Amino acid sequence: MATSRKKDLFLQFIKVFITCFCLFANSNKVSCVGTDRTEHKMYIELATQSACFRNFNATHQVGCTSSENGNVGTVHYIQSIKDMEWVLNSGPHSPYVVVLKAANFTRDTVITLAQSSRVNGIMVINVHNSTHNPLPSDGFSSVDQCPNDRFGLYADDTNYNKCQKQIWNKVGTSLRFVDLKIPVFALSDIKDVDAVLNKCYFPFNNPINDTARDYPLCSAEVKARMDGAVNSVVCMRRTLRTTLSLSGPQQYCDPMGDFNVITFMQKIPSSSSRQASSVIMVATKLDSVAMFQNEYNAADTTVVGVVTLLAAAQALWKQKEELIQPHAKDIVFAFFQGETFDYIGSSRAVYDIQKGIFPQEYSSEDKNSVSKLNLTHIDQFVELNQVGLRDNSSLWAHVDPISQPNVEKKIEDMTKFIKTFGEQLNISIKSAASKLPLPPASAQRFLMARKDLPVVVLTDHEAEFTNKYYNSRFDTADKLGGFDYPEDANDTVKYNYITKQALLIANLSSTLARYLYNASTGKIPTAAVLPNLTADPLMVTRLLYCFLISPNCELFYESVDSDNAQSLKDAKQPFPFYVSVTSHTNEVTQLVYSLMARFTGTLIDSNKNDCKQDGNYKLFSFTWMQGALKNNSNDRQGWCYKAIVHYTKAVSPAFEIDEYDLTSGDYSSWTEARWGSKAIGIRLFLMPSPEFQASILAVGILMLILSLVIVYICQKNSSAIFSVHSVRTSRSYSPMT
Amino acid sequence: MDLQKLKNEDKLILCRKYYLAGFFLLPFLWLVNAIWFFKEAFRKPHYAEQSEIRTYVTRSIIGSAIWLAAIITWVIIFQLNRVSWGATGDLLTFVIPLGEA
């Protein structure tokens, strides 16, 4: 019969088809074993993780996010105003992902782009050279023009609030505190920039004679997906809610914060109490911020102040014997964390002081903790802000105009002596105009709690900031200047080379040390003690190198526990000065703690396991660090330092007080959104035309239908195709037989 | 259970049980009852217990329809207002979406 012959032929064909398919599938599998995964053939993954991410305060979300699977757009490089017009209006292939030069990354441009529905993401080139990608010449600061104003001393003062006397940070863009709603990345790796421009934009997208190119076009998938939303109130409520979930509660955001590092000169146990006006407090801030994750340079913003204080401590403690005498005033070195985010560290310290648990929490039986400090104990408060970029090589002493009349004499003395000791070391220190309020400073939180506290804040500006890159990724050693390393100097040479900047800072440290000696003992330092009260420029240069250029340096290796040595080795750039969230202790905080232990403590003979506090004896801290290399060996000596250095919490009281209303504005309410492990990244790929995409889909659907038909036919005739005898008899398919 | 193998009086008992149990805030039982006994109630040739089964099935249909309407209304109201209800909205939510209000 003709029909059955036809049917047989058809079945034969199907048999061949199936065999071929199996072979193909097999051969495909073989090639799958190789490293060339299809994904890698389709995408170029960029290395950058420098994403703008999301933070919250009590009322707002700020920063960036992408859609769940990343924002996709055609890559367009903005080189001129014409390109802006192209992206915003005329270009036919929207949405776009825009590539910007650093100089074009201004508040107006970024906000215009972010608000346009035709823009899906922004990448800013963060590899700098003077011709191709110069820094923004007018300056750039990611924070407000009047930083921390609403949480400072003058928040409600009609004469001084909102920087009406002086806008400190004129180049402030507040871009860090805008809800941009699209992902924004920095490209800091030259390979990334090369991939985006030379493998993607110029070959495929760059319009020729103002006409758009044809498909395929190079596109980017930009992903920075944040888990939290709305504001701190909402996301903390959601994070803290009790849920019945096997995988644990879902986290949406974490409070920002870390630890303050507090060091005391005198050993005053809790069994004896302090006298009024018996403590001199010296402070600086430990953190900074910028737009992008990992890109937190803070040369002038933070590092110079920290290094000055560290070196001053080292010098001062050499003269310890005189300073621990009962008639001398105690000296406290305070490094406050999280100050950039509405004074987290200092407001917490003040809160703890007022509760009587500063620097340690202890019960009444505890006789051997550090004697508690309260506000009346503080004799004076000296703070270092930015001190690197000196205005006409001068530093400026700022005082608070409101409290000044109450403590005029004291403040006069303070500034007089600071100036005198500065002059001896060729540092000119001038008094800022008396109409000016204090610039943003931790001291403001102390003044809010005690109106008659004598405060002097030393900075490198009288009026507006001399630093044009305050709290931005451009605040680097280069911009600070004075890093006059010899040409082709290698890392070791740089590490040991005393730069001009180091000398300037060492002089300031010496000034501070001498001033503190004088303030504590009431004595003018004699020629015999002056060498002790002189900061070591070599140490200053090393500190600057380690904090600003590379943490992979001997000083840091000596000062960390062996468990942390690897992170120094892995570090490709300076440690971030961003305060981050409470669950993670900042590397900078740990290093400052260890360095203070080294500079102010005594080396005791101990091994690693015994290097810890003895029960209730909490006055001293014991810090183990791996120490210097042994002679002719790769082993390290291991040091245990006994010092009066303590961590105190730098978490906003807002997250500690029960039933606290975050919107009250008393304390910092900043939190940071969580994100998943693969939530951040950029990849480039070629986007075919919509017609091509539609035809691929159509072919796919046809294949599906065809395969269903084939399977149906195969099943109908399974007995004919697969010659299994037992099945052949039944003639019909049933899974049960 | 295969209804075919059941005697007519047992069918009625079963149908009634489902119908009554539905009153304990179990609308799905009504839905199941309505679908399961639909043929028995409306398609099968007449038998003695059929009229009573038909009553139960009809009422089950009406009951589950009311429930369905109520649930749809609630879901719409909830989805539209979850964000503006704030804390209450969160309390009523089992899975809060990530990255959104």
Short mmCIF file of all heavy atoms in Angstrom, two decimals, chain A residues 54 65 225-230 234 237-238 241 243-244 250-252, chain B residues 82-83 86-88 90-101:
data_model
loop_
_atom_site.label_atom_id
_atom_site.label_comp_id
_atom_site.label_asym_id
_atom_site.label_seq_id
_atom_site.Cartn_x
_atom_site.Cartn_y
_atom_site.Cartn_z
N ARG A 54 22.66 53.23 47.85
CA ARG A 54 21.57 53.97 48.48
C ARG A 54 21.76 54.10 49.99
O ARG A 54 22.16 53.15 50.66
CB ARG A 54 20.27 53.20 48.20
CG ARG A 54 19.03 54.04 48.28
CD ARG A 54 17.83 53.18 47.96
NE ARG A 54 17.16 53.58 46.73
CZ ARG A 54 16.09 52.98 46.26
NH1 ARG A 54 15.57 51.94 46.90
NH2 ARG A 54 15.51 53.40 45.16
N THR A 65 19.94 53.31 42.46
CA THR A 65 19.54 51.92 42.38
C THR A 65 19.27 51.62 40.92
O THR A 65 19.15 52.53 40.10
CB THR A 65 18.29 51.63 43.23
OG1 THR A 65 18.08 50.22 43.29
CG2 THR A 65 17.06 52.29 42.63
N ARG A 225 21.40 47.01 42.24
CA ARG A 225 20.08 46.85 42.81
C ARG A 225 20.13 46.92 44.33
O ARG A 225 20.81 46.13 44.97
CB ARG A 225 19.50 45.50 42.37
CG ARG A 225 18.16 45.17 42.97
CD ARG A 225 17.10 46.16 42.56
NE ARG A 225 15.77 45.75 42.99
CZ ARG A 225 14.67 46.43 42.72
NH1 ARG A 225 14.74 47.53 42.00
NH2 ARG A 225 13.52 46.01 43.15
N MET A 226 19.38 47.85 44.89
CA MET A 226 19.34 48.03 46.33
C MET A 226 18.11 47.35 46.92
O MET A 226 17.05 47.35 46.31
CB MET A 226 19.29 49.52 46.66
CG MET A 226 20.48 50.29 46.16
SD MET A 226 21.98 49.81 47.02
CE MET A 226 23.06 49.42 45.65
N ASP A 227 18.28 46.77 48.11
CA ASP A 227 17.15 46.06 48.73
C ASP A 227 16.22 46.98 49.53
O ASP A 227 15.03 46.73 49.61
CB ASP A 227 17.67 44.96 49.68
CG ASP A 227 18.27 43.80 48.90
OD1 ASP A 227 18.12 43.78 47.67
OD2 ASP A 227 18.89 42.92 49.53
N GLY A 228 16.78 48.00 50.13
CA GLY A 228 15.96 48.87 50.98
C GLY A 228 15.26 49.95 50.16
O GLY A 228 15.60 50.19 49.01
N ALA A 229 14.28 50.60 50.77
CA ALA A 229 13.57 51.67 50.08
C ALA A 229 12.92 52.62 51.08
O ALA A 229 12.82 52.31 52.26
CB ALA A 229 12.52 51.11 49.14
N VAL A 230 12.50 53.75 50.57
CA VAL A 230 11.72 54.79 51.24
C VAL A 230 12.55 55.67 52.18
O VAL A 230 12.96 56.75 51.80
CB VAL A 230 10.49 54.24 52.00
CG1 VAL A 230 9.61 55.39 52.45
CG2 VAL A 230 9.70 53.28 51.12
N VAL A 234 11.07 53.48 57.58
CA VAL A 234 10.42 52.33 56.96
C VAL A 234 11.36 51.13 56.88
O VAL A 234 10.99 50.02 57.25
CB VAL A 234 9.91 52.72 55.54
CG1 VAL A 234 9.44 51.49 54.79
CG2 VAL A 234 8.79 53.74 55.66
N ARG A 237 12.06 49.61 60.27
CA ARG A 237 10.87 48.91 60.76
C ARG A 237 10.76 47.54 60.08
O ARG A 237 10.49 46.54 60.72
CB ARG A 237 9.63 49.77 60.44
CG ARG A 237 8.34 49.16 60.92
CD ARG A 237 7.17 50.07 60.59
NE ARG A 237 6.89 50.08 59.16
CZ ARG A 237 6.48 51.15 58.48
NH1 ARG A 237 6.34 52.30 59.09
NH2 ARG A 237 6.22 51.06 57.19
N ARG A 238 11.00 47.53 58.78
CA ARG A 238 10.89 46.27 58.05
C ARG A 238 12.01 45.31 58.43
O ARG A 238 11.80 44.10 58.49
CB ARG A 238 10.95 46.55 56.56
CG ARG A 238 9.71 47.26 56.08
CD ARG A 238 9.78 47.59 54.61
NE ARG A 238 8.51 48.16 54.17
CZ ARG A 238 8.29 48.60 52.94
NH1 ARG A 238 9.25 48.52 52.03
NH2 ARG A 238 7.12 49.09 52.62
N ARG A 241 11.25 43.79 61.97
CA ARG A 241 9.98 43.12 62.25
C ARG A 241 10.21 41.63 62.44
O ARG A 241 11.12 41.04 61.87
CB ARG A 241 8.97 43.38 61.13
CG ARG A 241 9.22 42.56 59.88
CD ARG A 241 8.18 42.88 58.84
NE ARG A 241 8.23 41.92 57.75
CZ ARG A 241 7.18 41.52 57.07
NH1 ARG A 241 5.99 42.00 57.35
NH2 ARG A 241 7.32 40.65 56.10
N THR A 243 9.40 37.94 61.85
CA THR A 243 8.72 37.17 60.82
C THR A 243 8.94 35.69 61.08
O THR A 243 9.90 35.30 61.73
CB THR A 243 9.30 37.49 59.42
OG1 THR A 243 10.72 37.41 59.50
CG2 THR A 243 8.87 38.85 58.94
N LEU A 244 8.05 34.90 60.56
CA LEU A 244 8.23 33.46 60.60
C LEU A 244 8.85 33.06 59.27
O LEU A 244 8.17 32.96 58.26
CB LEU A 244 6.88 32.75 60.77
CG LEU A 244 6.26 32.91 62.15
CD1 LEU A 244 4.83 32.43 62.10
CD2 LEU A 244 7.04 32.13 63.17
N GLN A 250 14.41 38.99 56.59
CA GLN A 250 14.95 39.74 55.45
C GLN A 250 15.49 41.07 55.96
O GLN A 250 14.84 41.75 56.74
CB GLN A 250 13.83 39.95 54.44
CG GLN A 250 14.20 40.81 53.26
CD GLN A 250 15.16 40.09 52.32
OE1 GLN A 250 14.95 38.95 51.97
NE2 GLN A 250 16.21 40.79 51.95
N GLN A 251 16.69 41.43 55.54
CA GLN A 251 17.28 42.70 55.96
C GLN A 251 17.14 43.71 54.83
O GLN A 251 17.40 43.37 53.68
CB GLN A 251 18.76 42.51 56.27
CG GLN A 251 19.05 41.37 57.20
CD GLN A 251 18.91 41.75 58.65
OE1 GLN A 251 19.52 42.71 59.09
NE2 GLN A 251 18.09 41.04 59.39
N TYR A 252 16.77 44.91 55.18
CA TYR A 252 16.61 45.94 54.16
C TYR A 252 17.68 47.03 54.28
O TYR A 252 18.15 47.55 53.29
CB TYR A 252 15.22 46.55 54.23
CG TYR A 252 14.13 45.53 53.97
CD1 TYR A 252 13.64 44.73 54.99
CD2 TYR A 252 13.65 45.34 52.69
CE1 TYR A 252 12.68 43.76 54.73
CE2 TYR A 252 12.68 44.38 52.42
CZ TYR A 252 12.20 43.60 53.46
OH TYR A 252 11.26 42.64 53.20
N ARG B 82 -1.24 49.51 50.35
CA ARG B 82 -0.23 48.95 51.26
C ARG B 82 0.80 50.00 51.67
O ARG B 82 1.11 50.17 52.86
CB ARG B 82 0.48 47.78 50.58
CG ARG B 82 1.51 47.10 51.44
CD ARG B 82 2.15 45.97 50.69
NE ARG B 82 2.86 46.41 49.50
CZ ARG B 82 4.07 46.94 49.51
NH1 ARG B 82 4.72 47.08 50.64
NH2 ARG B 82 4.64 47.33 48.39
N VAL B 83 1.30 50.76 50.71
CA VAL B 83 2.35 51.73 51.00
C VAL B 83 1.82 52.85 51.90
O VAL B 83 2.45 53.21 52.89
CB VAL B 83 2.92 52.30 49.70
CG1 VAL B 83 3.92 53.40 49.99
CG2 VAL B 83 3.57 51.19 48.89
N GLY B 86 1.48 52.40 55.66
CA GLY B 86 2.68 52.46 56.50
C GLY B 86 2.89 51.20 57.31
O GLY B 86 2.88 50.09 56.78
N ALA B 87 3.06 51.39 58.63
CA ALA B 87 3.38 50.26 59.51
C ALA B 87 2.32 49.17 59.43
O ALA B 87 2.64 47.97 59.41
CB ALA B 87 3.54 50.76 60.94
N THR B 88 1.04 49.59 59.38
CA THR B 88 -0.03 48.61 59.30
C THR B 88 0.11 47.79 58.01
O THR B 88 -0.06 46.56 58.02
CB THR B 88 -1.40 49.32 59.28
OG1 THR B 88 -1.33 50.43 60.16
CG2 THR B 88 -2.50 48.39 59.69
N ASP B 90 2.79 47.12 56.41
CA ASP B 90 3.89 46.17 56.55
C ASP B 90 3.48 44.97 57.39
O ASP B 90 3.85 43.84 57.11
CB ASP B 90 5.11 46.85 57.19
CG ASP B 90 5.87 47.70 56.19
OD1 ASP B 90 5.48 47.68 55.00
OD2 ASP B 90 6.82 48.38 56.59
N LEU B 91 2.71 45.25 58.45
CA LEU B 91 2.28 44.15 59.33
C LEU B 91 1.41 43.15 58.56
O LEU B 91 1.43 41.96 58.84
CB LEU B 91 1.49 44.70 60.52
CG LEU B 91 2.33 45.28 61.66
CD1 LEU B 91 1.42 45.93 62.68
CD2 LEU B 91 3.17 44.19 62.30
N LEU B 92 0.64 43.69 57.62
CA LEU B 92 -0.27 42.82 56.87
C LEU B 92 0.43 42.10 55.71
O LEU B 92 -0.17 41.28 55.04
CB LEU B 92 -1.43 43.65 56.31
CG LEU B 92 -2.41 44.18 57.34
CD1 LEU B 92 -3.36 45.18 56.69
CD2 LEU B 92 -3.19 43.05 57.98
N THR B 93 1.70 42.46 55.48
CA THR B 93 2.40 41.91 54.32
C THR B 93 3.26 40.73 54.73
O THR B 93 3.96 40.79 55.74
CB THR B 93 3.29 43.00 53.68
OG1 THR B 93 2.51 44.17 53.52
CG2 THR B 93 3.81 42.54 52.34
N PHE B 94 3.20 39.68 53.95
CA PHE B 94 4.02 38.51 54.25
C PHE B 94 5.41 38.67 53.63
O PHE B 94 6.41 38.54 54.31
CB PHE B 94 3.35 37.24 53.73
CG PHE B 94 4.03 35.99 54.18
CD1 PHE B 94 4.02 35.63 55.52
CD2 PHE B 94 4.71 35.20 53.27
CE1 PHE B 94 4.68 34.49 55.94
CE2 PHE B 94 5.37 34.05 53.70
CZ PHE B 94 5.34 33.70 55.04
N VAL B 95 5.45 38.97 52.35
CA VAL B 95 6.74 39.19 51.68
C VAL B 95 6.78 40.65 51.22
O VAL B 95 6.05 41.04 50.33
CB VAL B 95 6.90 38.26 50.47
CG1 VAL B 95 8.24 38.54 49.79
CG2 VAL B 95 6.82 36.82 50.90
N ILE B 96 7.65 41.45 51.87
CA ILE B 96 7.79 42.84 51.46
C ILE B 96 8.74 42.90 50.28
O ILE B 96 9.81 42.30 50.31
CB ILE B 96 8.33 43.69 52.63
CG1 ILE B 96 7.32 43.69 53.77
CG2 ILE B 96 8.60 45.13 52.18
CD1 ILE B 96 7.80 44.37 55.02
N PRO B 97 8.37 43.57 49.20
CA PRO B 97 9.25 43.60 48.03
C PRO B 97 10.57 44.29 48.34
O PRO B 97 10.62 45.20 49.17
CB PRO B 97 8.45 44.40 47.00
CG PRO B 97 7.50 45.20 47.80
CD PRO B 97 7.17 44.40 49.00
N LEU B 98 11.63 43.85 47.68
CA LEU B 98 12.94 44.45 47.89
C LEU B 98 13.09 45.69 47.01
O LEU B 98 12.66 45.69 45.86
CB LEU B 98 14.04 43.46 47.52
CG LEU B 98 14.16 42.23 48.41
CD1 LEU B 98 15.23 41.31 47.87
CD2 LEU B 98 14.47 42.62 49.83
N GLY B 99 13.68 46.71 47.56
CA GLY B 99 14.05 47.87 46.75
C GLY B 99 12.90 48.77 46.37
O GLY B 99 13.06 49.68 45.59
N GLU B 100 11.71 48.50 46.90
CA GLU B 100 10.57 49.35 46.55
C GLU B 100 9.79 49.72 47.80
O GLU B 100 9.90 49.05 48.82
CB GLU B 100 9.65 48.62 45.58
CG GLU B 100 10.15 48.66 44.14
CD GLU B 100 9.65 47.50 43.34
OE1 GLU B 100 8.46 47.19 43.46
OE2 GLU B 100 10.44 46.88 42.62
N ALA B 101 8.98 50.72 47.64
CA ALA B 101 8.18 51.18 48.78
C ALA B 101 7.18 50.17 49.21
O ALA B 101 6.80 49.35 49.39
CB ALA B 101 7.40 52.42 48.45
#
